[in-house]
Amino acid sequence: MKKLIRGFGYAFKGIWYATATQLNFRVHLVASLTAALLGYALKVSAIEWIWIIFCMALVLAAELFNTSIEVLTDLVSPEFNTKAGHVKDIAAGAVLVTAIFALVTGTIIFLPKILTLIHAA
Ligand SMILES: Nc1ncnc2c1ncn2[C@@H]1O[C@H](COP(=O)(O)OP(=O)(O)OP(=O)(O)O)[C@@H](O)[C@H]1O
């Protein structure tokens, strides 16, 4: 049990490290909070909540993996190295793919509701 709790501690330490050092991670946190507030305000359905939460988890987890890969790359290859550059670029590309997916999903969920509100006003 103690080991399990210690494991959670390490995981939160990692999340805190990413929050403190990565501007992109903080941007994704703010975007997640904004999506949650929009979801609440626009009374999205249970299925839509699942998609919103899935997008949040996907993007934040991708950003955590990206941060981890950046740290490991800097450790293994502190000097300029073309392959180290590729490793970081590919990891950043993976985050971009998840962020685009989240943006498209958010647009599909929120845009019709926002347009309905605008037309009703
Ligand atoms: N050791 C390296 N060798 C070659 N290219 C690198 C190296 N380190 C970084 N790069 C290039 O610079 C880009 C930015 O790297 P950097 O480590 O600054 O990441 P970042 O996304 O700006 O994150 P952060 O600013 O949080 O460290 C990489 O995507 C890669 O193209």
Side-chain angles (χ1 to χ4, degrees), residues 21-24 66 70 73-74 77-90 92:
T21 63
Q22 304 297 311
L23 175 65
N24 283 355
N66 180 44
E70 271 181 20
T73 307
D74 288 339
S77 176
E79 308 297 326
F80 181 89
N81 181 296
T82 309
K83 283 199 169 142
H86 291 329
V87 168
K88 286 190 177 184
D89 292 344
I90 293 164

PDB file of all heavy atoms in Angstrom, residues 21-24 66 70 73-74 77-90 92, ligand 1:
ATOM      1  N   THR A  21       7.598  23.574 -15.969  1.00  0.00           N
ATOM      2  CA  THR A  21       8.639  23.865 -16.969  1.00  0.00           C
ATOM      3  C   THR A  21       8.115  24.026 -18.399  1.00  0.00           C
ATOM      4  O   THR A  21       8.803  24.611 -19.231  1.00  0.00           O
ATOM      5  CB  THR A  21       9.705  22.736 -16.982  1.00  0.00           C
ATOM      6  OG1 THR A  21       9.078  21.501 -17.373  1.00  0.00           O
ATOM      7  CG2 THR A  21      10.374  22.575 -15.629  1.00  0.00           C
ATOM      8  N   GLN A  22       6.916  23.488 -18.681  1.00  0.00           N
ATOM      9  CA  GLN A  22       6.445  23.481 -20.071  1.00  0.00           C
ATOM     10  C   GLN A  22       5.270  24.431 -20.282  1.00  0.00           C
ATOM     11  O   GLN A  22       4.163  24.176 -19.796  1.00  0.00           O
ATOM     12  CB  GLN A  22       6.009  22.060 -20.486  1.00  0.00           C
ATOM     13  CG  GLN A  22       7.065  21.003 -20.303  1.00  0.00           C
ATOM     14  CD  GLN A  22       8.283  21.247 -21.176  1.00  0.00           C
ATOM     15  OE1 GLN A  22       8.159  21.493 -22.371  1.00  0.00           O
ATOM     16  NE2 GLN A  22       9.463  21.201 -20.577  1.00  0.00           N
ATOM     17  N   LEU A  23       5.521  25.489 -21.044  1.00  0.00           N
ATOM     18  CA  LEU A  23       4.449  26.446 -21.361  1.00  0.00           C
ATOM     19  C   LEU A  23       3.302  25.734 -22.086  1.00  0.00           C
ATOM     20  O   LEU A  23       2.127  25.961 -21.778  1.00  0.00           O
ATOM     21  CB  LEU A  23       5.015  27.584 -22.234  1.00  0.00           C
ATOM     22  CG  LEU A  23       3.992  28.589 -22.754  1.00  0.00           C
ATOM     23  CD1 LEU A  23       3.363  29.360 -21.600  1.00  0.00           C
ATOM     24  CD2 LEU A  23       4.619  29.564 -23.753  1.00  0.00           C
ATOM     25  N   ASN A  24       3.654  24.832 -23.027  1.00  0.00           N
ATOM     26  CA  ASN A  24       2.626  24.119 -23.792  1.00  0.00           C
ATOM     27  C   ASN A  24       1.701  23.308 -22.883  1.00  0.00           C
ATOM     28  O   ASN A  24       0.501  23.244 -23.127  1.00  0.00           O
ATOM     29  CB  ASN A  24       3.275  23.157 -24.807  1.00  0.00           C
ATOM     30  CG  ASN A  24       3.797  23.910 -26.004  1.00  0.00           C
ATOM     31  OD1 ASN A  24       3.593  25.120 -26.123  1.00  0.00           O
ATOM     32  ND2 ASN A  24       4.483  23.208 -26.877  1.00  0.00           N
ATOM     33  N   ASN A  66       5.762  13.781 -24.368  1.00  0.00           N
ATOM     34  CA  ASN A  66       6.655  14.667 -25.127  1.00  0.00           C
ATOM     35  C   ASN A  66       7.710  15.286 -24.201  1.00  0.00           C
ATOM     36  O   ASN A  66       8.898  15.321 -24.531  1.00  0.00           O
ATOM     37  CB  ASN A  66       5.826  15.764 -25.812  1.00  0.00           C
ATOM     38  CG  ASN A  66       6.694  16.710 -26.612  1.00  0.00           C
ATOM     39  OD1 ASN A  66       7.588  16.287 -27.335  1.00  0.00           O
ATOM     40  ND2 ASN A  66       6.447  17.999 -26.480  1.00  0.00           N
ATOM     41  N   GLU A  70      11.712  14.794 -24.330  1.00  0.00           N
ATOM     42  CA  GLU A  70      12.624  15.960 -24.397  1.00  0.00           C
ATOM     43  C   GLU A  70      13.722  15.866 -23.333  1.00  0.00           C
ATOM     44  O   GLU A  70      14.903  16.075 -23.624  1.00  0.00           O
ATOM     45  CB  GLU A  70      11.832  17.256 -24.183  1.00  0.00           C
ATOM     46  CG  GLU A  70      11.285  17.863 -25.457  1.00  0.00           C
ATOM     47  CD  GLU A  70      10.534  19.158 -25.186  1.00  0.00           C
ATOM     48  OE1 GLU A  70      10.747  19.782 -24.131  1.00  0.00           O
ATOM     49  OE2 GLU A  70       9.726  19.517 -26.031  1.00  0.00           O
ATOM     50  N   THR A  73      16.094  13.044 -24.189  1.00  0.00           N
ATOM     51  CA  THR A  73      16.940  13.407 -25.331  1.00  0.00           C
ATOM     52  C   THR A  73      18.052  14.359 -24.886  1.00  0.00           C
ATOM     53  O   THR A  73      19.213  14.203 -25.293  1.00  0.00           O
ATOM     54  CB  THR A  73      16.086  14.072 -26.440  1.00  0.00           C
ATOM     55  OG1 THR A  73      15.005  13.215 -26.746  1.00  0.00           O
ATOM     56  CG2 THR A  73      16.907  14.310 -27.694  1.00  0.00           C
ATOM     57  N   ASP A  74      17.688  15.346 -24.037  1.00  0.00           N
ATOM     58  CA  ASP A  74      18.705  16.292 -23.544  1.00  0.00           C
ATOM     59  C   ASP A  74      19.765  15.574 -22.700  1.00  0.00           C
ATOM     60  O   ASP A  74      20.932  15.954 -22.689  1.00  0.00           O
ATOM     61  CB  ASP A  74      18.044  17.401 -22.705  1.00  0.00           C
ATOM     62  CG  ASP A  74      17.266  18.367 -23.593  1.00  0.00           C
ATOM     63  OD1 ASP A  74      17.555  18.424 -24.810  1.00  0.00           O
ATOM     64  OD2 ASP A  74      16.364  19.054 -23.070  1.00  0.00           O
ATOM     65  N   SER A  77      21.693  13.247 -25.391  1.00  0.00           N
ATOM     66  CA  SER A  77      22.377  13.992 -26.450  1.00  0.00           C
ATOM     67  C   SER A  77      22.333  15.492 -26.185  1.00  0.00           C
ATOM     68  O   SER A  77      21.583  16.228 -26.840  1.00  0.00           O
ATOM     69  CB  SER A  77      21.718  13.657 -27.794  1.00  0.00           C
ATOM     70  OG  SER A  77      22.280  14.405 -28.819  1.00  0.00           O
ATOM     71  N   PRO A  78      23.106  15.964 -25.208  1.00  0.00           N
ATOM     72  CA  PRO A  78      23.087  17.397 -24.912  1.00  0.00           C
ATOM     73  C   PRO A  78      23.655  18.245 -26.064  1.00  0.00           C
ATOM     74  O   PRO A  78      23.279  19.396 -26.232  1.00  0.00           O
ATOM     75  CB  PRO A  78      23.942  17.535 -23.647  1.00  0.00           C
ATOM     76  CG  PRO A  78      24.588  16.232 -23.416  1.00  0.00           C
ATOM     77  CD  PRO A  78      24.013  15.219 -24.348  1.00  0.00           C
ATOM     78  N   GLU A  79      24.566  17.621 -26.840  1.00  0.00           N
ATOM     79  CA  GLU A  79      25.140  18.334 -27.997  1.00  0.00           C
ATOM     80  C   GLU A  79      24.146  18.263 -29.156  1.00  0.00           C
ATOM     81  O   GLU A  79      23.276  17.409 -29.174  1.00  0.00           O
ATOM     82  CB  GLU A  79      26.445  17.647 -28.447  1.00  0.00           C
ATOM     83  CG  GLU A  79      27.455  17.420 -27.347  1.00  0.00           C
ATOM     84  CD  GLU A  79      27.956  18.710 -26.720  1.00  0.00           C
ATOM     85  OE1 GLU A  79      28.068  19.700 -27.481  1.00  0.00           O
ATOM     86  OE2 GLU A  79      28.196  18.738 -25.513  1.00  0.00           O
ATOM     87  N   PHE A  80      24.354  19.151 -30.167  1.00  0.00           N
ATOM     88  CA  PHE A  80      23.498  19.103 -31.351  1.00  0.00           C
ATOM     89  C   PHE A  80      23.687  17.761 -32.058  1.00  0.00           C
ATOM     90  O   PHE A  80      24.819  17.312 -32.254  1.00  0.00           O
ATOM     91  CB  PHE A  80      23.822  20.257 -32.307  1.00  0.00           C
ATOM     92  CG  PHE A  80      22.945  20.241 -33.533  1.00  0.00           C
ATOM     93  CD1 PHE A  80      21.734  20.913 -33.532  1.00  0.00           C
ATOM     94  CD2 PHE A  80      23.313  19.525 -34.669  1.00  0.00           C
ATOM     95  CE1 PHE A  80      20.908  20.886 -34.652  1.00  0.00           C
ATOM     96  CE2 PHE A  80      22.491  19.488 -35.791  1.00  0.00           C
ATOM     97  CZ  PHE A  80      21.290  20.173 -35.783  1.00  0.00           C
ATOM     98  N   ASN A  81      22.591  17.130 -32.390  1.00  0.00           N
ATOM     99  CA  ASN A  81      22.626  15.854 -33.108  1.00  0.00           C
ATOM    100  C   ASN A  81      21.362  15.768 -33.968  1.00  0.00           C
ATOM    101  O   ASN A  81      20.261  15.950 -33.450  1.00  0.00           O
ATOM    102  CB  ASN A  81      22.688  14.703 -32.090  1.00  0.00           C
ATOM    103  CG  ASN A  81      22.742  13.347 -32.764  1.00  0.00           C
ATOM    104  OD1 ASN A  81      21.819  12.947 -33.449  1.00  0.00           O
ATOM    105  ND2 ASN A  81      23.855  12.655 -32.560  1.00  0.00           N
ATOM    106  N   THR A  82      21.535  15.506 -35.253  1.00  0.00           N
ATOM    107  CA  THR A  82      20.381  15.504 -36.168  1.00  0.00           C
ATOM    108  C   THR A  82      19.302  14.529 -35.695  1.00  0.00           C
ATOM    109  O   THR A  82      18.103  14.840 -35.721  1.00  0.00           O
ATOM    110  CB  THR A  82      20.837  15.119 -37.595  1.00  0.00           C
ATOM    111  OG1 THR A  82      21.938  15.968 -37.926  1.00  0.00           O
ATOM    112  CG2 THR A  82      19.739  15.331 -38.614  1.00  0.00           C
ATOM    113  N   LYS A  83      19.737  13.344 -35.237  1.00  0.00           N
ATOM    114  CA  LYS A  83      18.748  12.331 -34.801  1.00  0.00           C
ATOM    115  C   LYS A  83      18.013  12.785 -33.534  1.00  0.00           C
ATOM    116  O   LYS A  83      16.817  12.528 -33.392  1.00  0.00           O
ATOM    117  CB  LYS A  83      19.439  10.991 -34.581  1.00  0.00           C
ATOM    118  CG  LYS A  83      19.716  10.313 -35.906  1.00  0.00           C
ATOM    119  CD  LYS A  83      19.956   8.828 -35.763  1.00  0.00           C
ATOM    120  CE  LYS A  83      19.953   8.207 -37.136  1.00  0.00           C
ATOM    121  NZ  LYS A  83      20.908   7.156 -37.326  1.00  0.00           N
ATOM    122  N   ALA A  84      18.748  13.458 -32.637  1.00  0.00           N
ATOM    123  CA  ALA A  84      18.104  13.979 -31.420  1.00  0.00           C
ATOM    124  C   ALA A  84      17.030  14.988 -31.827  1.00  0.00           C
ATOM    125  O   ALA A  84      15.930  15.018 -31.241  1.00  0.00           O
ATOM    126  CB  ALA A  84      19.142  14.631 -30.514  1.00  0.00           C
ATOM    127  N   GLY A  85      17.349  15.790 -32.819  1.00  0.00           N
ATOM    128  CA  GLY A  85      16.374  16.759 -33.340  1.00  0.00           C
ATOM    129  C   GLY A  85      15.148  16.056 -33.887  1.00  0.00           C
ATOM    130  O   GLY A  85      14.006  16.443 -33.592  1.00  0.00           O
ATOM    131  N   HIS A  86      15.361  14.970 -34.659  1.00  0.00           N
ATOM    132  CA  HIS A  86      14.225  14.213 -35.206  1.00  0.00           C
ATOM    133  C   HIS A  86      13.361  13.649 -34.076  1.00  0.00           C
ATOM    134  O   HIS A  86      12.134  13.689 -34.149  1.00  0.00           O
ATOM    135  CB  HIS A  86      14.716  13.045 -36.086  1.00  0.00           C
ATOM    136  CG  HIS A  86      15.353  13.479 -37.370  1.00  0.00           C
ATOM    137  ND1 HIS A  86      14.973  14.613 -38.029  1.00  0.00           N
ATOM    138  CD2 HIS A  86      16.343  12.925 -38.116  1.00  0.00           C
ATOM    139  CE1 HIS A  86      15.700  14.742 -39.134  1.00  0.00           C
ATOM    140  NE2 HIS A  86      16.553  13.732 -39.201  1.00  0.00           N
ATOM    141  N   VAL A  87      14.029  13.093 -33.058  1.00  0.00           N
ATOM    142  CA  VAL A  87      13.286  12.495 -31.928  1.00  0.00           C
ATOM    143  C   VAL A  87      12.349  13.536 -31.311  1.00  0.00           C
ATOM    144  O   VAL A  87      11.154  13.283 -31.087  1.00  0.00           O
ATOM    145  CB  VAL A  87      14.269  11.952 -30.856  1.00  0.00           C
ATOM    146  CG1 VAL A  87      13.539  11.616 -29.563  1.00  0.00           C
ATOM    147  CG2 VAL A  87      14.993  10.718 -31.377  1.00  0.00           C
ATOM    148  N   LYS A  88      12.883  14.751 -31.068  1.00  0.00           N
ATOM    149  CA  LYS A  88      12.052  15.798 -30.457  1.00  0.00           C
ATOM    150  C   LYS A  88      10.952  16.261 -31.411  1.00  0.00           C
ATOM    151  O   LYS A  88       9.813  16.491 -30.988  1.00  0.00           O
ATOM    152  CB  LYS A  88      12.928  16.986 -30.071  1.00  0.00           C
ATOM    153  CG  LYS A  88      13.788  16.739 -28.844  1.00  0.00           C
ATOM    154  CD  LYS A  88      14.425  18.021 -28.407  1.00  0.00           C
ATOM    155  CE  LYS A  88      15.225  17.819 -27.140  1.00  0.00           C
ATOM    156  NZ  LYS A  88      15.772  19.091 -26.640  1.00  0.00           N
ATOM    157  N   ASP A  89      11.292  16.396 -32.688  1.00  0.00           N
ATOM    158  CA  ASP A  89      10.293  16.859 -33.665  1.00  0.00           C
ATOM    159  C   ASP A  89       9.146  15.854 -33.803  1.00  0.00           C
ATOM    160  O   ASP A  89       7.974  16.242 -33.884  1.00  0.00           O
ATOM    161  CB  ASP A  89      10.946  17.069 -35.042  1.00  0.00           C
ATOM    162  CG  ASP A  89      11.912  18.239 -35.046  1.00  0.00           C
ATOM    163  OD1 ASP A  89      11.853  19.054 -34.107  1.00  0.00           O
ATOM    164  OD2 ASP A  89      12.726  18.332 -35.978  1.00  0.00           O
ATOM    165  N   ILE A  90       9.479  14.564 -33.813  1.00  0.00           N
ATOM    166  CA  ILE A  90       8.437  13.526 -33.961  1.00  0.00           C
ATOM    167  C   ILE A  90       7.516  13.534 -32.734  1.00  0.00           C
ATOM    168  O   ILE A  90       6.287  13.458 -32.858  1.00  0.00           O
ATOM    169  CB  ILE A  90       9.069  12.126 -34.165  1.00  0.00           C
ATOM    170  CG1 ILE A  90       9.801  12.081 -35.511  1.00  0.00           C
ATOM    171  CG2 ILE A  90       8.018  11.029 -34.104  1.00  0.00           C
ATOM    172  CD1 ILE A  90      10.770  10.918 -35.662  1.00  0.00           C
ATOM    173  N   ALA A  92       6.937  16.055 -30.771  1.00  0.00           N
ATOM    174  CA  ALA A  92       6.113  17.273 -30.859  1.00  0.00           C
ATOM    175  C   ALA A  92       5.000  17.072 -31.896  1.00  0.00           C
ATOM    176  O   ALA A  92       3.865  17.531 -31.693  1.00  0.00           O
ATOM    177  CB  ALA A  92       6.983  18.471 -31.235  1.00  0.00           C
TER     178      ALA A  92
HETATM  179  N1  LIG B   1      20.203  18.128 -29.180  1.00  0.00           N
HETATM  180  C1  LIG B   1      19.583  18.573 -30.284  1.00  0.00           C
HETATM  181  N2  LIG B   1      20.082  18.277 -31.502  1.00  0.00           N
HETATM  182  C2  LIG B   1      19.448  18.713 -32.618  1.00  0.00           C
HETATM  183  N3  LIG B   1      18.320  19.453 -32.629  1.00  0.00           N
HETATM  184  C3  LIG B   1      17.777  19.773 -31.452  1.00  0.00           C
HETATM  185  C4  LIG B   1      18.381  19.365 -30.216  1.00  0.00           C
HETATM  186  N4  LIG B   1      17.611  19.839 -29.204  1.00  0.00           N
HETATM  187  C5  LIG B   1      16.592  20.488 -29.792  1.00  0.00           C
HETATM  188  N5  LIG B   1      16.667  20.452 -31.122  1.00  0.00           N
HETATM  189  C6  LIG B   1      15.719  21.057 -32.101  1.00  0.00           C
HETATM  190  O1  LIG B   1      15.111  22.193 -31.509  1.00  0.00           O
HETATM  191  C7  LIG B   1      13.685  21.988 -31.365  1.00  0.00           C
HETATM  192  C8  LIG B   1      13.237  22.562 -30.047  1.00  0.00           C
HETATM  193  O2  LIG B   1      13.857  21.846 -29.014  1.00  0.00           O
HETATM  194  P1  LIG B   1      13.629  22.173 -27.489  1.00  0.00           P
HETATM  195  O3  LIG B   1      14.330  21.191 -26.656  1.00  0.00           O
HETATM  196  O4  LIG B   1      13.951  23.616 -27.248  1.00  0.00           O
HETATM  197  O5  LIG B   1      12.094  21.903 -27.390  1.00  0.00           O
HETATM  198  P2  LIG B   1      10.905  22.885 -27.078  1.00  0.00           P
HETATM  199  O6  LIG B   1       9.732  22.282 -27.777  1.00  0.00           O
HETATM  200  O7  LIG B   1      11.256  24.283 -27.421  1.00  0.00           O
HETATM  201  O8  LIG B   1      10.737  22.640 -25.549  1.00  0.00           O
HETATM  202  P3  LIG B   1      11.316  23.418 -24.284  1.00  0.00           P
HETATM  203  O9  LIG B   1      11.447  24.875 -24.681  1.00  0.00           O
HETATM  204  O10 LIG B   1      10.276  23.178 -23.283  1.00  0.00           O
HETATM  205  O11 LIG B   1      12.611  22.744 -23.946  1.00  0.00           O
HETATM  206  C9  LIG B   1      13.499  20.466 -31.465  1.00  0.00           C
HETATM  207  O12 LIG B   1      12.201  20.121 -31.899  1.00  0.00           O
HETATM  208  C10 LIG B   1      14.586  20.081 -32.462  1.00  0.00           C
HETATM  209  O13 LIG B   1      14.171  20.352 -33.789  1.00  0.00           O
END
